[in-house]
Amino acid sequence: MQLVEKIIKGERAAIAKAITLVESSRENDKNESRKLISELLNKPGKSIRVGFSGPPGVGKSTFIESFGRYLVEKNYKLGILAIDPSSQITGGSILGDKTRMIEISKNPNTFIRSTPSRGSLGGISVGTREASIILDAAGYDFIFIETVGVGQSETMATNLVDIFSLIVGPGSGDELQGIKKGITEYADIFIVNKNDGDLKSEASKTASDYKSAISYYKKSDDTADKEVLLVSAIEQTGMKKVIETIQNIVSQNKKNKNFDERRAKQFTYWIEEEVREIIQFNIQKKIRADGSISQLSQKVMDGKIQMFEAIEAITQNLQNK
Amino acid sequence: MKTKNSDNYTKWQKSFERETKIDLNEASSETDEGIKIKPVYTKADIENLSFVDNDSLPGQLPYTRGPKASMYTNRPWTIRQYAGFSTAEESNDFYKKNLKSGQKGLSVAFDLPTHRGYDSDDDLVMGDVGKAGVAIDTVEDMKILFNDIPLDQMSVSMTMNGAVLPVLSSFIVAGEEQNVNKNLLSGTIQNDILKEFMVRNTYIYPPDPSMKIVADIIEFTSKEMPKFNSISISGYHMQEAGADNVLELAYTLADGMEYVRAALSKGLDIDDFAPRLSFFFAIGTDFFMEIAKLRAARTLWYKIMKDFGAKNEKSLILRTHCQTSGVSLTEKDPYNNIIRTSYEALSAILGGTQSLHTNSFDEAIALPTDESARIARNTQLILQNETGVTNTVDPLAGSYFIESLTDELSKKAWEVIEEIESLGGMTKAVKAGVPKLKIEESATKKQAKVDSGSRVVVGVNKFKNPKEPKVDVRVIDNNRVRDDQIKKINDVKASRDQKAVDESLAKLVTAAKEDSNLLARSIDAIKNRATVGEVSKALEQVYGRHFATSLSVSGVYGKHFEGDEDFMNVTKKVNIFEEENGRRPRVLVVKMGQDGHDRGAKIVATSFADMGFDVDMGPLFQSPKDVAKDAIENDVHAIGVSTLAAGHKTLVPELMKSLKEIDPKSKIIVFVGGVIPEQDYNFLYENNISAIFGPGSNIIESAEKVIDLISDKIHEHN
Ligand code: B12
Ligand SMILES: Nc1nc2c(ncn2[C@@H]2O[C@H](COP(=O)(O)OP(=O)(O)OP(=O)(O)O)[C@@H](O)[C@H]2O)c(=O)[nH]1
Ligand SMILES: [Mg+2]
């Protein structure tokens, strides 16, 4: 496949087209997408996938710009997948993340793709996982995934990334009580942003709140310790510590095999999900194929048969086929 | 008496309802500001006013009726036309001609590189030099600009905000080298940075250091330049960006309060600087509202300054410049614009402005020609000399309608001012992006009204001219201007004392770090022939350059079109497109170069999204190369370039080239919107532009065309 070679060569347009393919909702594209991804999986790169989640407006994009600037100066190549939440009633969206990633988006060593979230896995869009495989094959050192919301930490951590970090703002420590369990379990790093100007003392306080919260967390295995870090995206402070922490966690988890195990689990989960999707699709097609479902439901509506009878008839029919 | 009045009123109401067949309660119309305008006003409407005092006279507090007792009966308003283009030589020529023809004061329009603190030889500004104003790189340019114009006699207004330090310094040094001491210079420097962050977009540094610069200038001029207005607190640009009159009025006055506080924090006494604060408002098409706005502005400023503890009467009085609205002027059937401008000018005069700019009829096409500028100027000369409007001060005072409207506008604006104050003042509000978003929301509503036809714009959505006239256009060859400027920069650099330049720039940097007055230091640097760009860059080392993060409104446009057939037709097409292509049509809307006009781009982006498109929004000031990378990485179907500051002939071909460089087989289609003279259409089509959407384009029709073009392109390749 020509596309694969182009991706591996790092051709920007090919990478972009491939991401479009894996995001596509068209049935034909899905098959092609699976083939493409299978081929790319045979040619894995070396990237570390890091998730950045957090409530709207805490500065995720600004942080990625700032941290990204720090990394590209050190000659790392960055792939960034920004899942933009701004989907609307009409289904369209305004993808504005790049207005916050002005400097890094100019850099030839970055690839930045925004995607409208549009349903699916609560904020993570269809194709995000596949897109990260494409960027991995294309030779990016880090793949950053930006999503909104704390609620998706589980899916994000268990499905997608090697390291999951939660970005929070000063003063958010109070909310910890209610959500303690979820986040302490799934986040590897807590980044308290906006540690600047008037907000400094509030930020430190928030950081210590998080530190005490994670101290409740009992590690069951020898995974790397969770970390709480203070940064200012705007003043670009604390960045060195962030990259060191990421590298530490990676090397520790690689040493004790947690890194590979996590990826293996994600893989199993993924295949399971794909199978489920295909089966579901096929069944739906069959159910709708002969039009009997609409006839049956009309009969239910008209009071000619009971609903359970209709359901039984359809399942019988499916099994007979 | 009372009974007679109410009898009369009842009788009138009956007649009204019989004539119109409408219940009087339903007969009010609502303005953009949400103010109900009734079919008739009576004495009862001016009986319990909150801000307006019916008994006051012109020149008396609360100054509703005018800053002076005699107003135009003594001296008419100053005809002050805003102009500047190409090189200092050409602009100087233009100014001198205008002064001969009856213009009274000068008002300098700088080009965008100068505004943003870049020299003409900077790569970033290739398409913008001399295009939308005059290029000033060194004090030598400034001296040429005022060649044969004695600065001790001519009052000069300068619209400069971002690069205010080097530009004001150049003006002061140009004066000095004409043997005019700075204490004799009269005029105004705009120096209003808050509205730059809100709407005008020629900021350089982040908000906090920018506010410090404003305060430094107020401090310096209050001590050294007694005849010079230290700031022109501007609502004009807000209305032009889409604000209704309440927002314009409230945000302007709230800005003013913030500047007063900034100056006070320097330890100045309020009465030392307040008399030199001046204002600038837009005058749009809502005739009576605009009159009421100027009256309300004076009334509220009086209250504000009183609360600040000002004692000098001059501190309490709001003096203002006005400009008729450019955004009310149309590309279609452009001679209509002469008529619109005339009404707006009359409105400004009835409101009691101190000086006025009237726009040219080719406003929506390009910078004015000599001919269109002449007509614009004559609009005012005719008002002054032929109509008798100068014979009576505040002739509408006592009108039930005007007085009541003045009061209502004051009340509404006051509420908004209190809202901003509760956020901690305008600097904080601006950082949070609140005012900008409110203005964009208002702009989007206005667009929806025009596109749906519920607001009539003659010649655009109704009464179209079947035979559009051809008009001449001022053409500026930016490459030639750029070459000229580069040569002049090089000459200056070759003959200056480099060591003196370096030292004075170093002192400027130190002053910025130590927080001492920057204007004094930058005057020294400019005197030594440092360039505008060098001074700006020196401060950038300390302060950094500001990049705006922009929020977007959503759902405002779509809401106006619930159930609308044309709108639904497009959303249907989008849905079919998605089914066929596995994703929605995806469009990248961009601004390139130094062009900061983002109203159109923002409105188009939000409206397209409301119709179901996925819209990527680029930041301001992108280079064609950045745009190409962005477009290709996001695999968009189309790029929509919004261009208003005449950079299109340089920047659009660059973009096409960059796209091909990254992807020789790129199928991304490119279309262009904004201010494009018809003369340039062919040039753009020859550069493979798929469509051009000029001023007044209906957005729903544009969206349909875009999705059709995208579909065609996809099919062409399948
Ligand atoms: C509003 C305005 C401003 C506002 C801008 C506010 C803002 N945030 O946008 C203010 C007052 C701040 C301003 C300032 C200046 N302005 Co001005 N401004 C205008 C004005 C009057 C209207 C533009 C506008 O917003 N129209 C309303 C919007 C909705 O229309 P639009 O942008 O044209 O968009 C429509 C279509 O063009 C199309 N479209 C546009 N983009 C796109 C994109 C896509 C994807 C699609 C499908 C369609 C599309 O669809 C839209 C809907 O119909 C024009 C003249 C005019 N009447 O056009 C001058 C004008 C653009 N300005 C001009 C100048 C010179 C300036 C200054 C540089 C002056 C100076 N020297 O200081 C400054 C600097 C501004 C800067 N930073 O760049 C000149 C440019 C000269 C030229 N092209 O040759 C103009 C043409 C006036 C003139 N004749 O002198 N300005
Ligand atoms: N003081 C301060 N403000 C910051 C910092 N980082 C971001 N901000 C501001 O926070 C606001 C939101 O920043 P974004 O980067 O857009 O936040 P986000 O989390 O990506 O937002 P969404 O994508 O909309 O959820 C902007 O106004 C930033 O300027 C920081 O380090 N310090
Ligand atoms: Mg973001």
Coordinates of all heavy atoms in Angstrom, one line a residue, chain B residues 318-387:
Chain B
L318 N -17.0 65.7 28.6 CA -16.5 64.8 27.6 C -16.5 65.5 26.2 O -17.5 66.0 25.8 CB -17.5 63.6 27.5 CG -17.3 62.5 26.4 CD1 -17.6 61.1 27.0 CD2 -18.1 62.8 25.2
R319 N -15.3 65.5 25.7 CA -15.2 66.1 24.3 C -14.9 64.9 23.3 O -14.2 64.0 23.7 CB -14.0 67.0 24.2 CG -14.2 68.3 25.1 CD -12.8 69.0 25.3 NE -11.8 68.1 25.9 CZ -10.7 67.8 25.3 NH1 -10.3 68.4 24.1 NH2 -9.8 67.0 25.9
T320 N -15.6 64.9 22.2 CA -15.4 63.8 21.3 C -15.3 64.1 19.8 O -15.7 65.1 19.3 CB -16.6 62.8 21.5 OG1 -16.4 61.6 20.8 CG2 -17.9 63.5 20.9
H321 N -14.5 63.2 19.2 CA -14.5 63.1 17.8 C -15.5 62.1 17.3 O -15.8 61.1 18.1 CB -13.1 62.7 17.3 CG -12.9 62.5 15.9 ND1 -13.0 63.5 14.9 CD2 -12.7 61.3 15.2 CE1 -12.8 63.0 13.7 NE2 -12.6 61.7 13.8
C322 N -16.1 62.2 16.1 CA -16.9 61.2 15.6 C -16.6 60.8 14.2 O -16.0 61.6 13.5 CB -18.4 61.6 15.6 SG -19.1 61.6 17.3
Q323 N -16.9 59.6 13.8 CA -16.8 59.2 12.4 C -18.0 58.5 12.0 O -18.6 57.7 12.8 CB -15.6 58.2 12.3 CG -15.4 57.7 10.8 CD -14.0 57.1 10.6 OE1 -13.1 57.3 11.4 NE2 -13.9 56.3 9.5
T324 N -18.5 58.8 10.8 CA -19.7 58.1 10.3 C -19.3 56.6 10.1 O -18.1 56.2 10.1 CB -20.1 58.7 9.0 OG1 -19.1 58.6 8.1 CG2 -20.6 60.1 9.2
S325 N -20.3 55.8 10.0 CA -20.0 54.3 10.1 C -19.6 53.8 8.7 O -20.3 53.9 7.7 CB -21.3 53.6 10.5 OG -21.2 52.2 10.2
G326 N -18.4 53.1 8.7 CA -18.0 52.5 7.5 C -18.7 51.2 7.2 O -18.9 50.9 6.0
V327 N -19.1 50.5 8.2 CA -19.7 49.2 8.0 C -21.2 49.4 7.5 O -21.7 48.4 7.0 CB -19.7 48.4 9.4 CG1 -20.8 48.8 10.3 CG2 -19.6 46.9 9.1
S328 N -21.7 50.6 7.7 CA -23.1 50.8 7.1 C -23.0 51.0 5.6 O -24.0 51.1 4.9 CB -23.7 52.0 7.7 OG -23.1 53.2 7.4
L329 N -21.8 51.2 5.1 CA -21.6 51.5 3.6 C -21.4 50.2 2.8 O -20.8 49.2 3.3 CB -20.4 52.4 3.4 CG -20.6 53.7 4.2 CD1 -19.4 54.7 3.9 CD2 -21.9 54.4 4.1
T330 N -21.9 50.2 1.6 CA -22.0 49.0 0.9 C -21.1 49.0 -0.4 O -20.9 50.1 -0.9 CB -23.5 48.7 0.4 OG1 -23.9 49.8 -0.4 CG2 -24.4 48.6 1.6
E331 N -20.7 47.8 -0.8 CA -20.0 47.7 -2.1 C -21.0 47.9 -3.2 O -20.7 48.5 -4.3 CB -19.3 46.4 -2.1 CG -18.5 46.2 -3.4 CD -18.3 44.7 -3.7 OE1 -19.2 43.9 -3.5 OE2 -17.2 44.4 -4.2
K332 N -22.2 47.3 -3.0 CA -23.2 47.4 -4.1 C -23.8 48.8 -4.1 O -24.0 49.5 -3.1 CB -24.3 46.4 -3.7 CG -23.9 44.9 -3.8 CD -24.2 44.3 -5.2 CE -23.3 43.3 -5.8 NZ -22.2 42.7 -5.1
D333 N -24.1 49.2 -5.4 CA -24.7 50.5 -5.6 C -24.1 51.6 -4.7 O -24.7 52.3 -3.9 CB -26.2 50.4 -5.3 CG -27.0 51.4 -6.3 OD1 -26.3 52.0 -7.1 OD2 -28.2 51.4 -6.1
P334 N -22.8 51.8 -4.9 CA -22.0 52.6 -3.9 C -22.4 54.1 -3.7 O -22.1 54.6 -2.7 CB -20.5 52.4 -4.4 CG -20.6 52.1 -5.8 CD -21.9 51.3 -6.0
Y335 N -23.0 54.6 -4.8 CA -23.4 56.1 -4.6 C -24.4 56.3 -3.5 O -24.5 57.4 -3.0 CB -23.8 56.7 -5.9 CG -22.7 56.7 -7.0 CD1 -22.8 56.1 -8.2 CD2 -21.5 57.3 -6.7 CE1 -21.8 56.1 -9.1 CE2 -20.4 57.3 -7.6 CZ -20.6 56.7 -8.8 OH -19.6 56.7 -9.7
N336 N -25.1 55.2 -3.2 CA -26.0 55.3 -2.0 C -25.3 55.7 -0.7 O -25.9 56.3 0.2 CB -26.7 53.9 -1.7 CG -27.7 53.6 -2.8 OD1 -28.2 54.4 -3.5 ND2 -28.1 52.3 -2.8
N337 N -24.0 55.4 -0.7 CA -23.2 55.7 0.5 C -23.1 57.1 0.8 O -22.9 57.5 1.9 CB -21.8 55.0 0.4 CG -21.9 53.5 0.3 OD1 -22.9 52.9 0.9 ND2 -20.9 52.9 -0.3
I338 N -23.1 57.9 -0.3 CA -23.1 59.4 -0.1 C -24.3 59.8 0.8 O -24.2 60.7 1.7 CB -23.0 60.1 -1.4 CG1 -21.8 59.7 -2.2 CG2 -23.0 61.7 -1.2 CD1 -21.8 60.2 -3.6
I339 N -25.4 59.2 0.5 CA -26.6 59.6 1.2 C -26.6 59.1 2.6 O -26.9 59.9 3.6 CB -27.8 59.0 0.4 CG1 -27.8 59.5 -1.0 CG2 -29.1 59.4 1.1 CD1 -28.6 58.6 -2.0
R340 N -26.2 57.9 2.8 CA -26.1 57.3 4.1 C -25.2 58.2 5.0 O -25.5 58.6 6.1 CB -25.5 55.9 4.1 CG -26.4 54.9 3.5 CD -25.9 53.5 3.7 NE -26.8 52.5 3.1 CZ -26.7 52.0 1.9 NH1 -25.6 52.2 1.2 NH2 -27.6 51.2 1.4
T341 N -24.0 58.5 4.4 CA -23.0 59.3 5.2 C -23.6 60.7 5.6 O -23.3 61.2 6.6 CB -21.7 59.4 4.4 OG1 -21.2 58.1 4.2 CG2 -20.7 60.3 5.1
S342 N -24.4 61.3 4.7 CA -24.9 62.6 5.0 C -25.8 62.5 6.2 O -25.8 63.4 7.1 CB -25.7 63.1 3.8 OG -24.9 63.1 2.6
Y343 N -26.7 61.5 6.2 CA -27.6 61.4 7.4 C -26.8 61.2 8.7 O -27.1 61.7 9.7 CB -28.6 60.3 7.2 CG -29.7 60.6 6.2 CD1 -29.9 59.7 5.1 CD2 -30.4 61.8 6.3 CE1 -30.9 60.0 4.2 CE2 -31.4 62.1 5.3 CZ -31.6 61.2 4.3 OH -32.6 61.5 3.4
E344 N -25.8 60.3 8.6 CA -25.0 60.0 9.8 C -24.3 61.3 10.2 O -24.2 61.6 11.4 CB -24.0 58.9 9.5 CG -24.7 57.5 9.3 CD -23.8 56.4 8.7 OE1 -22.6 56.7 8.4 OE2 -24.3 55.3 8.5
A345 N -23.8 62.0 9.3 CA -23.1 63.3 9.6 C -24.0 64.2 10.4 O -23.7 64.8 11.4 CB -22.5 64.0 8.4
L346 N -25.2 64.3 9.9 CA -26.2 65.2 10.5 C -26.5 64.8 11.9 O -26.6 65.6 12.9 CB -27.5 65.2 9.7 CG -28.7 66.1 10.2 CD1 -28.2 67.5 10.4 CD2 -29.9 66.0 9.3
S347 N -26.6 63.5 12.1 CA -26.8 62.9 13.4 C -25.7 63.3 14.4 O -26.0 63.7 15.5 CB -26.9 61.4 13.2 OG -27.5 60.7 14.2
A348 N -24.5 63.2 13.9 CA -23.3 63.5 14.7 C -23.4 65.0 15.1 O -23.1 65.4 16.3 CB -22.0 63.3 14.0
I349 N -23.8 65.8 14.2 CA -23.9 67.3 14.5 C -25.0 67.6 15.5 O -24.8 68.3 16.4 CB -24.1 68.0 13.2 CG1 -23.0 67.8 12.2 CG2 -24.4 69.5 13.4 CD1 -21.6 67.8 12.8
L350 N -26.1 67.0 15.3 CA -27.2 67.2 16.2 C -26.9 66.6 17.6 O -27.4 67.1 18.6 CB -28.5 66.5 15.7 CG -29.1 67.2 14.4 CD1 -30.2 66.4 13.9 CD2 -29.5 68.6 14.7
G351 N -26.0 65.7 17.6 CA -25.5 65.1 18.9 C -24.5 66.0 19.6 O -24.1 65.8 20.7
G352 N -23.9 66.9 18.8 CA -22.9 67.9 19.4 C -21.5 67.4 19.4 O -20.8 67.6 20.4
T353 N -21.0 66.8 18.3 CA -19.6 66.4 18.3 C -18.7 67.6 18.1 O -19.1 68.6 17.6 CB -19.4 65.4 17.1 OG1 -18.1 64.8 17.3 CG2 -19.5 66.0 15.7
Q354 N -17.4 67.4 18.5 CA -16.4 68.4 18.4 C -15.7 68.4 17.1 O -15.2 69.4 16.6 CB -15.4 68.4 19.5 CG -15.9 69.0 20.8 CD -17.2 68.4 21.3 OE1 -17.3 67.2 21.6 NE2 -18.3 69.1 21.2
S355 N -15.5 67.2 16.5 CA -14.9 67.1 15.2 C -15.5 65.9 14.5 O -16.1 65.0 15.1 CB -13.4 67.0 15.3 OG -13.0 65.8 16.1
L356 N -15.3 65.8 13.2 CA -16.0 64.7 12.5 C -15.2 64.3 11.2 O -14.6 65.1 10.6 CB -17.4 65.3 12.0 CG -18.3 64.3 11.2 CD1 -18.7 63.1 12.1 CD2 -19.5 65.0 10.7
H357 N -15.2 63.0 11.0 CA -14.8 62.4 9.8 C -16.0 61.8 9.0 O -16.8 61.1 9.6 CB -13.8 61.3 10.0 CG -13.5 60.4 8.8 ND1 -12.3 60.5 8.1 CD2 -14.2 59.5 8.2 CE1 -12.3 59.6 7.1 NE2 -13.5 59.0 7.1
T358 N -16.1 62.1 7.8 CA -17.2 61.5 7.0 C -16.5 60.6 6.0 O -15.6 60.9 5.3 CB -18.0 62.6 6.2 OG1 -17.1 63.7 5.9 CG2 -19.2 63.1 7.0
N359 N -17.1 59.4 5.8 CA -16.5 58.4 5.0 C -16.8 58.6 3.5 O -17.8 59.3 3.1 CB -17.1 57.0 5.3 CG -16.6 56.5 6.6 OD1 -15.4 56.7 6.9 ND2 -17.4 55.9 7.4
S360 N -16.0 58.0 2.7 CA -16.1 58.2 1.2 C -17.0 57.0 0.7 O -17.1 56.0 1.3 CB -14.8 58.1 0.6 OG -13.9 59.1 1.1
F361 N -17.6 57.3 -0.5 CA -18.6 56.3 -1.0 C -17.9 55.0 -1.4 O -18.6 54.0 -1.5 CB -19.4 56.9 -2.1 CG -18.7 57.2 -3.4 CD1 -18.5 56.2 -4.3 CD2 -18.2 58.5 -3.7 CE1 -17.8 56.4 -5.5 CE2 -17.5 58.7 -4.8 CZ -17.3 57.7 -5.7
D362 N -16.6 55.0 -1.6 CA -15.9 53.8 -2.0 C -15.4 53.0 -0.8 O -14.5 52.2 -1.0 CB -14.8 54.1 -3.1 CG -13.9 55.2 -2.6 OD1 -14.1 55.7 -1.5 OD2 -13.1 55.6 -3.4
E363 N -15.9 53.3 0.3 CA -15.5 52.7 1.6 C -15.3 51.2 1.5 O -14.4 50.6 2.0 CB -16.4 53.1 2.7 CG -16.3 52.4 4.0 CD -15.1 52.8 4.9 OE1 -14.6 53.9 4.6 OE2 -14.8 52.1 5.8
A364 N -16.3 50.5 0.9 CA -16.3 49.1 0.9 C -15.5 48.5 -0.2 O -15.6 47.3 -0.5 CB -17.7 48.5 0.9
I365 N -14.8 49.3 -0.9 CA -14.0 48.9 -2.1 C -12.5 49.0 -1.9 O -11.8 48.1 -2.2 CB -14.5 49.7 -3.4 CG1 -16.0 49.5 -3.6 CG2 -13.7 49.2 -4.6 CD1 -16.6 50.4 -4.6
A366 N -12.1 50.2 -1.5 CA -10.7 50.4 -1.2 C -10.5 51.7 -0.5 O -11.5 52.4 -0.2 CB -9.9 50.5 -2.6
L367 N -9.2 52.1 -0.3 CA -9.0 53.5 0.3 C -9.6 54.5 -0.7 O -9.6 54.3 -1.9 CB -7.5 53.7 0.5 CG -6.8 52.9 1.6 CD1 -5.3 53.3 1.6 CD2 -7.5 53.0 2.9
P368 N -10.0 55.7 -0.1 CA -10.6 56.7 -1.0 C -9.7 57.2 -2.1 O -8.5 57.3 -1.9 CB -11.0 57.8 0.0 CG -10.5 57.4 1.3 CD -10.0 56.0 1.3
T369 N -10.3 57.5 -3.2 CA -9.6 58.2 -4.3 C -9.7 59.7 -3.9 O -10.4 60.2 -3.1 CB -10.3 58.0 -5.6 OG1 -11.6 58.5 -5.5 CG2 -10.3 56.5 -6.0
D370 N -8.9 60.6 -4.7 CA -9.0 62.0 -4.5 C -10.5 62.5 -4.6 O -10.9 63.3 -3.9 CB -8.1 62.7 -5.5 CG -6.6 62.6 -5.2 OD1 -6.3 61.7 -4.3 OD2 -5.8 63.3 -5.8
E371 N -11.1 61.9 -5.6 CA -12.5 62.3 -6.0 C -13.5 61.9 -4.9 O -14.3 62.8 -4.4 CB -12.9 61.7 -7.3 CG -14.2 62.0 -7.9 CD -14.3 63.5 -8.2 OE1 -13.3 64.2 -8.2 OE2 -15.5 64.0 -8.4
S372 N -13.4 60.7 -4.4 CA -14.4 60.3 -3.4 C -14.1 61.0 -2.1 O -15.0 61.3 -1.3 CB -14.4 58.8 -3.2 OG -13.2 58.3 -2.6
A373 N -12.8 61.3 -1.8 CA -12.5 62.0 -0.6 C -13.0 63.4 -0.7 O -13.4 64.0 0.4 CB -11.0 62.0 -0.4
R374 N -13.0 64.0 -1.9 CA -13.6 65.4 -2.0 C -15.0 65.4 -1.7 O -15.5 66.3 -0.9 CB -13.3 65.8 -3.5 CG -13.6 67.3 -3.7 CD -13.3 67.7 -5.2 NE -14.1 67.0 -6.1 CZ -15.3 67.3 -6.5 NH1 -15.9 68.4 -6.0 NH2 -16.0 66.6 -7.3
I375 N -15.8 64.4 -2.2 CA -17.2 64.4 -1.9 C -17.5 64.2 -0.4 O -18.4 64.9 0.2 CB -17.9 63.3 -2.7 CG1 -17.8 63.6 -4.2 CG2 -19.4 63.1 -2.3 CD1 -18.2 62.5 -5.1
A376 N -16.7 63.3 0.2 CA -16.9 63.1 1.6 C -16.6 64.4 2.4 O -17.4 64.7 3.3 CB -15.9 62.0 2.1
R377 N -15.6 65.1 2.1 CA -15.3 66.4 2.8 C -16.4 67.4 2.5 O -16.9 68.1 3.4 CB -14.0 66.9 2.3 CG -13.5 68.2 2.9 CD -12.1 68.5 2.4 NE -12.0 68.6 1.0 CZ -11.3 67.9 0.2 NH1 -10.5 66.9 0.7 NH2 -11.3 68.0 -1.1
N378 N -16.9 67.4 1.3 CA -17.9 68.4 1.0 C -19.2 68.2 1.7 O -20.0 69.1 1.9 CB -18.2 68.4 -0.6 CG -17.0 69.1 -1.3 OD1 -16.2 69.8 -0.7 ND2 -17.0 69.0 -2.6
T379 N -19.5 66.9 2.0 CA -20.7 66.6 2.8 C -20.7 67.5 4.1 O -21.7 68.0 4.5 CB -20.6 65.1 3.3 OG1 -20.4 64.3 2.1 CG2 -21.9 64.7 4.0
Q380 N -19.5 67.6 4.7 CA -19.5 68.5 5.9 C -19.5 70.0 5.6 O -20.1 70.7 6.3 CB -18.2 68.1 6.7 CG -18.2 66.7 7.3 CD -17.1 66.5 8.3 OE1 -17.0 67.3 9.2 NE2 -16.3 65.5 8.1
L381 N -18.8 70.3 4.5 CA -18.8 71.7 4.1 C -20.2 72.2 3.8 O -20.6 73.3 4.2 CB -17.8 72.0 2.9 CG -16.4 71.8 3.3 CD1 -15.5 71.8 2.0 CD2 -15.9 72.9 4.2
I382 N -21.0 71.4 3.2 CA -22.4 71.7 2.9 C -23.2 71.9 4.2 O -23.9 72.8 4.3 CB -23.0 70.7 1.9 CG1 -22.3 70.9 0.5 CG2 -24.5 70.9 1.8 CD1 -22.6 69.8 -0.5
L383 N -23.0 70.9 5.1 CA -23.7 71.0 6.3 C -23.4 72.3 7.1 O -24.2 73.0 7.6 CB -23.3 69.8 7.3 CG -24.2 68.6 7.2 CD1 -23.6 67.5 8.0 CD2 -25.6 68.9 7.7
Q384 N -22.1 72.7 7.1 CA -21.7 73.9 7.8 C -22.1 75.1 7.1 O -22.4 76.1 7.8 CB -20.1 73.9 7.9 CG -19.6 72.9 8.9 CD -18.1 73.1 9.2 OE1 -17.4 73.9 8.5 NE2 -17.6 72.4 10.2
N385 N -22.1 75.1 5.8 CA -22.3 76.4 5.1 C -23.7 76.6 4.5 O -24.1 77.7 4.2 CB -21.3 76.5 4.0 CG -19.9 76.7 4.6 OD1 -19.5 77.8 5.1 ND2 -19.1 75.7 4.5
E386 N -24.4 75.5 4.3 CA -25.7 75.7 3.6 C -27.0 75.4 4.4 O -28.0 75.8 4.0 CB -25.7 74.8 2.3 CG -24.5 75.2 1.4 CD -24.5 74.4 0.0 OE1 -25.6 73.7 -0.2 OE2 -23.6 74.5 -0.7
T387 N -26.8 74.6 5.5 CA -28.1 74.1 6.1 C -28.6 74.9 7.3 O -29.7 74.6 7.7 CB -27.9 72.6 6.5 OG1 -26.9 72.6 7.5 CG2 -27.5 71.7 5.4

